Amino acid sequence: MSDVMAAPRAKVEEKLFQNRYLVDAGRPHIKVKPHTTPSASLMSMVTLCPAGCYSQTEGGQVEVAADGCLECGTCRIVTRKTGEVEWNYPRGGFGVLYKFG
């Protein structure tokens, strides 16, 4: 065993907390298209979104709160075939501001 102790590793949540998000009020870059019953792809975003932006309402619809979005494109890829999510890049100066690149 080494005499040198390893530095504790930061958890993903702690690293994500370092990022900042500049909200473009009234102009979300992600929108869920109106639906009565979400597809399996859209439903999966409730658990797949790394930022936790998707949630299911009491009525069974899926909604998105784009504040805090990491702009990773997961929702864009997962719902590509169904077209239930409209995804655009945020306007310049808005969106996620990564602390460590």
Side-chain angles (χ1 to χ4, degrees), residues 5 11 17 20 33 36 46 49 62 67 86 93 97:
M5 293 183 65
K11 294 181 180 179
F17 180 74
R20 294 293 173 249
K33 293 183 178 177
T36 52
V46 173
C49 177
V62 173
D67 303 0
E86 184 181 315
L97 306 168

Side-chain angles (χ1 to χ4, degrees), residues 1-55:
M1 203 154 165
S2 172
D3 290 336
V4 179
M5 293 183 65
R9 292 182 180 232
K11 294 181 180 179
V12 172
E13 292 83 8
E14 292 169 357
K15 288 185 178 185
L16 290 175
F17 180 74
Q18 299 297 318
N19 298 330
R20 294 293 173 249
Y21 192 86
L22 187 57
V23 176
D24 192 359
R27 296 184 68 168
H29 70 284
I30 302 172
K31 296 178 185 173
V32 174
K33 293 183 178 177
H35 58 280
T36 52
T37 305
S39 69
S41 297
L42 184 57
M43 277 300 296
S44 70
M45 289 312 305
V46 173
T47 55
L48 287 178
C49 177
C53 293
Y54 289 81
S55 61

